[in-house]
Amino acid sequence: MSGPLLQVKGLSTHFFTQEGVVKAVDDITYNLAEGETMGLVGESGCGKSVSALSILRLIPNPPGRIVAGEVLFQGQDLLQMGDDEIRQVRGHRIAIIFQEPMTSLNPVLTVGRQISEALELHLKMDHKRALERSVELLNMVGIPDAGRRIKDYPHQFSGGMRQRVMIAMALSCDPKLLIADEPTTALDVTIQAQILELIKNLARETGTAVMIITHNLGVVARYADWVNVMYAGKIIESAQAGELYAAPRHPYTLGLLASVPRLDQPRKTKLAPIEGLPPDLSALPPGCSFRPRCPYAVDRCAVEEPPLLEVAPGHTAACWVDVRVAKKTAGVVHG
Amino acid sequence: MVSAQSDGKVLVDVQDLKMYFPVTGGILFQRKVADIKAVDGVTFAIKEGETLGLVGESGCGKTTTGRCILQLYKPTAGKVLFEGTDLISLSGGAMRRMRRRMQLIFQDPYGSLNPRMTAGAIVEEPLKVHGLAKGRELKEQASELLRTVGLNPYMADRYPHEFSGGQRQRIGVARALAVRPSFIVCDEPVSALDVSIQAQIINLLGELQEQFHLTYLFIAHDLAVVRHISDRIAVMYLGKIAEVADRKEAYENPLHPYTKALLSAVPIPDPLVEAKRERIILTGDVPSPLNPPPGCSFHPRCPYVMPRCSQVTPELKEVSPGHSVACHLY
Ligand SMILES: Nc1ncnc2c1ncn2[C@@H]1O[C@H](COP(=O)(O)OP(=O)(O)OP(=O)(O)O)[C@@H](O)[C@H]1O
Ligand SMILES: Nc1ncnc2c1ncn2[C@@H]1O[C@H](COP(=O)(O)OP(=O)(O)OP(=O)(O)O)[C@@H](O)[C@H]1O
Ligand SMILES: [Mg+2]
Ligand SMILES: [Mg+2]
C-alpha cells in the first residue's frame, strides 16, 4: 500500500456547552505511517484524548461534534463511513487502550470471555478456537498461568495485569493501528516500563502503528519515532523525536523540556517553570493561544494566529518567532 | 534544597516503626483476622533543614509512614522522636501543642480543601485553632501567607473550585505554613499537577524551605523530581526500607537491585540518551502487603536472586558512611 496508514486532515471537534463552544480539537493535521510510533504530548485538557476518540468517532454527541476534517485510514475516510462500517474498524483494524483499565473492562464478564468475544465477532472464530487464542494472547502479554486466569474477573487482577489484559484485547485482532491513551499513567514506574516495553516489542513484531498519548516527555523520548505537541486544541510542533528534543522550535515545547528535572543531567538549584496557566478552551485569546505564557511573545502574537509551518525539513512549528535567535521578552501575563 | 546538614542535628528520628492495619470480616477472612503490614520496621532519621525523599511503588507504605510520624495514625510499634521527644508517648494536650510544629501537604489538591470554605478561611483556620491570631491580624496574616505562596490576596474570597490545580496546591501550602511549622510532610505534592505547573510548586517549596528553615519529608514516585529536591533518599519496598543514601550516592551508586530497577525505569526526555541506555525491566507484579513473599519481599522480581533470599529477610545495614542497604548481596 502506498501513502501513510492514517491521514488526519483539518480535524476539528468542538463541544457545545452552556459556557460556550469548547474548541477541544481545532484544525489538526498529521500523518502516521505503517509501523511507526507517534507520541502525542501536551498538558491536561489540551485535546489529546478528544483527538484520538474523534478518529474512531467515539465523541459523545451532544455535547460534542466533529465539525470539520477528514480521517483517512488506509485511504478511506472514517468520518464518512456508515455506523456498521465504523464498528468493524473499531477494535479490529484500529484498537484503543484507555487510560483507566478498570472502567474499560466489563466487571461482570470473565477476562477470557471479553477477549474471545472480540475474536468471535471480528475474526469469526468459533468459541473453542477463540478461547485458545485468548490464552495465547494472555501468555504473550506475560500473564502467568493464563489457562486458569481466563476464568477470572477483572477485579481479581492487579492494575498492571489489567492493563496487560487490555493490551491483549487490543492486539487480539491484529490491528493496523493501536492507540494507547496514557496507557501507564495510573501505574508504577517499574510496571510502566514493563507495559511500554511490551507494547513496543509487540508492535515491532506485528508491524502495528502506535499512537502513544502522554504528558510524560520521557516516555515519548523512549518510545516514539515521531512527536506531535499539542497546546489548546492545536498541534503546535511536529517533528521526528530526535529532532524535536535536540532542536525544539516552539516556545511551549522549549518550556516543557526545560521544566522537568532530568536524571542524566547535573542537578540545578532551580527549575524553569512555564509561568501562568493553561488557557480556557472556550475563551481563547486572539492570536496565539500560548502568548499569555510565552517569554518570547512579540506584538504580532496578540493579533495573528501563527500557522504550522515547516522550520526545517520534516519539522513544523507554529510560532512567529525564531527561538534560536530571539531574546526573551519580559512581561509574562500571570494566571 | 539547602545542603545544610551542616550542624547535622536530627529533628525527626523514626525507629523500627510498624503500622499494621487489621483485616476484619469479609468473605475470605471471616474467621482468621489478618494484618496488612503497611509499614513493617522502618528506621530513618531526618536532620534539621534537610529534605529526605521517600520513594517507592504504589502501596509500599509511604503515606502511612508519613501519617504515623505526624501521629495521624497510632503506630502498632516503634518510636517517633521529634527533637528527642517520643511523640507516641505524649499526652493528648502535649501532642496538640506539638502538632503545630509539623504539618502535612496532601497529594490531592482537589480533595484536601473544604469546598465550602474560601481560600482565606482555609488559611485562617489553623491560625484560629492554635490561637495564633484574631481579628484584623488574622486577615492580615492570611493575606501575607497567600502572597508568600504566590497567590494574590484578593483571591482570598474565592472558593477552591474557582482555582486551578496548581493554585489549589498553593493554598494547601499556605495552610501548612500558617502555624510556622518546622517540619512538613509533603505527600506527593506535585503528582496531580501538570508538568508545566509542577516546576512552579517545586520551586516554591524550595524557596520556602530556605526562607523558613523548614525540614521536609518529601514523598514521591517521580525519581527525577525527588533527586531535584532531596538531600537524602530513602527507598521503600513493601513496608520496609530497601536503601538509604545521600542524594549523590543514591543516584550515582545505587546498591539495592530494586533501586537500580527504579532508576532505570525512569525515562529520560532525550531520545539520544534513551537509545544508549541500559534498562532493567522487572518481571512480575508488586506483591500484596497482605501476603508478602517470605525472606526478602523483593526476591520474586529480583534479577540477582539467590537461594538465601527466599528464606532470610535481609537487615538494613550500613555499607559505607551514610549509605545503608537491605540486601544479601552486600
Ligand atoms: N463531554 C465533554 N463536554 C465538554 N467538554 C469536554 C468534554 N470532553 C472533553 N471536553 C473538553 O475538551 C478538552 C480536551 O479534553 P481531552 O480529554 O482531549 O484532554 P486531554 O488532552 O486528553 O487531557 P488529559 O491529559 O487530562 O487526559 C478539555 O478542555 C475538556 O474539558
Ligand atoms: N486505613 C487503612 N486501612 C487498611 N489498609 C490501609 C490503610 N491505609 C493504607 N492501607 C494499606 O497499606 C498499604 C500502604 O499504603 P500507603 O497508602 O501507605 O501506600 P503509598 O506508598 O503511599 O502508596 P501510593 O504511592 O499509592 O500513595 C497499602 O496496601 C494500603 O492498601
Ligand atoms: Mg486524556
Ligand atoms: Mg501515598
Side-chain angles (χ1 to χ4, degrees):
Chain A
M1 209 191 73
S2 63
L5 177 70
L6 178 74
Q7 282 177 283
V8 174
K9 294 185 187 171
L11 180 68
S12 293
T13 304
H14 297 174
F15 291 93
F16 299 86
T17 69
Q18 281 178 340
E19 285 77 47
V21 180
V22 178
K23 296 184 176 174
V25 172
D26 196 18
D27 193 13
I28 64 171
T29 295
Y30 62 86
N31 292 342
L32 183 57
E34 231 167 294
E36 189 178 62
T37 295
M38 188 264 271
L40 186 58
V41 284
E43 54 200 309
S44 189
C46 72
K48 303 182 295 295
S49 297
V50 170
S51 79
L53 293 171
S54 300
I55 293 175
L56 287 171
R57 291 179 23 204
L58 292 170
I59 299 297
N61 177 5
R65 214 170 69 224
I66 299 172
V67 293
E70 286 171 55
V71 177
L72 302 178
F73 179 71
Q74 295 179 316
Q76 254 186 313
D77 191 351
L78 300 181
L79 301 185
Q80 301 303 326
M81 279 186 176
D83 288 350
D84 281 341
E85 267 180 297
I86 187 82
R87 223 168 287 135
Q88 277 301 317
V89 173
R90 283 182 207 142
H92 182 187
R93 283 149 65 199
I94 303 180
I96 182 160
I97 303 172
F98 296 95
Q99 173 163 0
E100 178 39 72
M102 204 51 198
T103 56
S104 30
L105 288 171
N106 187 335
V108 300
L109 291 183
T110 63
V111 158
R113 185 74 210 114
Q114 300 191 48
I115 305 178
S116 58
E117 200 164 52
L119 295 170
E120 289 168 37
L121 178 72
H122 290 303
L123 302 187
K124 312 278 178 265
M125 286 186 188
D126 65 40
H127 185 59
K128 186 162 163 287
R129 175 71 197 109
L131 274 182
E132 282 166 13
R133 178 73 185 139
S134 303
V135 174
E136 282 170 28
L137 285 161
L138 288 178
N139 269 324
M140 186 173 81
V141 297
I143 304 270
D145 200 9
R148 198 177 52 78
R149 299 296 318 246
I150 57 164
K151 300 191 191 78
D152 286 348
Y153 291 88
H155 74 266
Q156 290 167 290
F157 291 81
S158 73
M161 288 169 100
R162 265 181 239 139
Q163 201 57 279
R164 269 178 270 174
V165 170
M166 283 297 300
I167 295 172
M169 277 173 71
L171 294 173
S172 61
C173 301
D174 289 325
K176 297 300 287 175
L177 169 63
L178 174 66
I179 300 174
D181 190 354
E182 314 243 9
T184 58
T185 320
L187 303 173
D188 284 313
V189 267
T190 59
I191 304 292
Q192 196 178 52
Q194 245 177 50
I195 300 284
L196 289 168
E197 209 70 17
L198 178 71
I199 292 179
K200 192 184 79 177
N201 292 338
L202 293 176
R204 189 174 291 161
E205 278 164 32
T206 55
T208 307
V210 181
M211 186 189 303
I212 296 186
I213 299 177
T214 176
H215 58 254
N216 186 326
L217 291 162
V219 165
V220 178
R222 190 178 267 198
Y223 297 102
D225 307 310
W226 195 273
V227 186
N228 286 328
V229 184
M230 272 187 91
Y231 189 80
K234 293 199 158 65
I235 291 178
I236 51 95
E237 185 157 15
S238 176
Q240 213 140 30
E243 162 92 7
L244 186 98
Y245 285 80
R249 292 292 291 272
H250 196 286
Y252 176 63
T253 315
L254 225 66
L256 274 186
L257 287 169
S259 66
V260 293
R262 284 174 54 158
L263 276 188
D264 65 323
Q265 284 182 352
R267 200 175 140 268
K268 291 185 276 239
T269 37
K270 275 254 151 99
L271 295 176
I274 300 178
E275 298 297 344
L277 301 170
D280 174 355
L281 293 186
S282 63
L284 289 174
C288 171
S289 313
F290 187 59
R291 183 194 53 84
R293 306 174 75 188
C294 183
Y296 298 96
V298 294
D299 291 344
R300 186 179 193 183
C301 308
V303 283
E304 253 184 295
E305 190 179 321
L308 192 63
L309 293 178
E310 190 157 68
V311 290
H315 182 171
T316 54
C319 182
W320 292 123
V321 175
D322 184 344
V323 292
R324 294 170 307 174
V325 293
K327 291 237 165 31
K328 289 198 183 182
T329 46
V332 173
V333 183
H334 283 259
Chain B
M1 300 289 290
V2 271
S3 41
Q5 303 142 26
S6 43
D7 53 355
K9 211 173 110 200
V10 170
L11 183 69
V12 180
D13 194 1
V14 179
Q15 299 176 3
D16 203 20
L17 186 72
K18 292 185 181 162
M19 183 70 219
Y20 295 175
F21 293 106
V23 181
T24 51
I27 301 157
L28 281 172
F29 302 103
Q30 229 150 29
R31 275 175 298 166
K32 189 170 178 289
V33 173
D35 277 324
I36 294 180
K37 297 182 177 178
V39 176
D40 196 18
V42 159
T43 298
F44 58 74
I46 312 176
K47 291 171 208 152
E48 225 171 67
E50 82 167 350
T51 298
L52 177 72
L54 185 60
V55 300
E57 276 165 294
S58 184
C60 71
K62 305 181 295 294
T63 295
T64 307
T65 302
R67 290 183 159 257
C68 283
I69 294 176
L70 299 179
Q71 304 297 301
L72 297 172
Y73 289 146
K74 189 175 171 0
T76 310
K79 280 193 176 142
V80 177
L81 305 180
F82 189 83
E83 289 178 335
T85 309
D86 187 1
L87 298 182
I88 298 173
S89 64
L90 281 187
S91 71
M95 186 56 222
R96 231 167 291 130
R97 280 189 295 281
M98 200 59 124
R99 181 141 289 149
R100 230 191 85 192
R101 310 279 315 280
M102 43 189 92
Q103 290 292 310
L104 178 62
I105 297 172
F106 296 86
Q107 164 168 8
D108 177 10
Y110 299 88
S112 59
L113 303 177
N114 184 339
R116 281 182 292 277
M117 283 167 76
T118 62
I122 288 169
V123 176
E124 285 165 22
E125 188 176 59
L127 292 168
K128 280 197 269 190
V129 169
H130 290 281
L132 296 175
K134 55 180 181 227
R136 256 195 57 197
E137 209 192 330
L138 187 63
K139 293 265 175 270
E140 274 165 19
Q141 284 199 23
S143 296
E144 184 53 37
L145 281 160
L146 291 177
R147 228 188 316 267
T148 307
V149 298
L151 292 174
N152 205 316
Y154 77 74
M155 295 172 166
D157 295 329
R158 293 195 191 162
Y159 290 88
H161 74 267
E162 298 173 82
F163 290 94
S164 72
Q167 289 174 325
R168 273 182 257 209
Q169 198 54 289
R170 287 175 193 267
I171 298 171
V173 174
R175 173 176 62 187
L177 283 179
V179 295
R180 305 251 152 192
S182 37
F183 173 60
I184 301 182
V185 173
C186 308
D187 191 358
E188 313 236 18
V190 298
S191 310
L193 304 177
D194 259 316
V195 223
S196 79
I197 308 298
Q198 284 189 8
Q200 295 178 8
I201 299 295
I202 291 168
N203 281 351
L204 173 67
L205 290 172
E207 285 157 20
L208 296 174
Q209 179 167 47
E210 271 181 49
Q211 195 178 342
F212 300 110
H213 196 62
L214 296 167
T215 304
Y216 289 147
L217 176 65
F218 192 92
I219 299 173
H221 59 253
D222 183 331
L223 281 102
V225 166
V226 168
R227 168 173 174 259
H228 178 79
I229 202 159
S230 309
D231 300 299
R232 282 190 310 129
I233 319 286
V235 181
M236 263 185 104
Y237 192 77
L238 217 62
K240 291 190 160 66
I241 299 288
E243 184 161 7
V244 189
D246 284 350
R247 172 184 60 233
K248 206 162 167 347
E249 181 78 359
Y251 284 88
E252 285 169 16
N253 183 28
L255 295 178
H256 199 289
Y258 177 61
T259 314
K260 290 182 187 176
L262 267 186
L263 285 171
S264 119
V266 181
I268 288 169
D270 185 339
L272 299 175
V273 177
E274 273 301 330
K276 283 180 274 179
R277 244 174 123 211
E278 197 196 332
R279 294 178 209 168
I280 309 165
I281 305 292
L282 293 177
T283 54
D285 280 299
V286 184
S288 151
L290 195 56
N291 187 18
C296 170
S297 50
F298 184 60
H299 86 260
R301 302 172 77 196
C302 183
Y304 307 100
V305 63
M306 307 176 286
R308 187 153 46 122
C309 302
S310 55
Q311 291 146 14
V312 187
T313 307
E315 296 289 320
L316 187 68
K317 52 177 184 276
E318 191 163 44
V319 291
S320 64
H323 193 164
S324 303
V325 61
C327 176
H328 290 308
L329 288 172
Y330 306 96

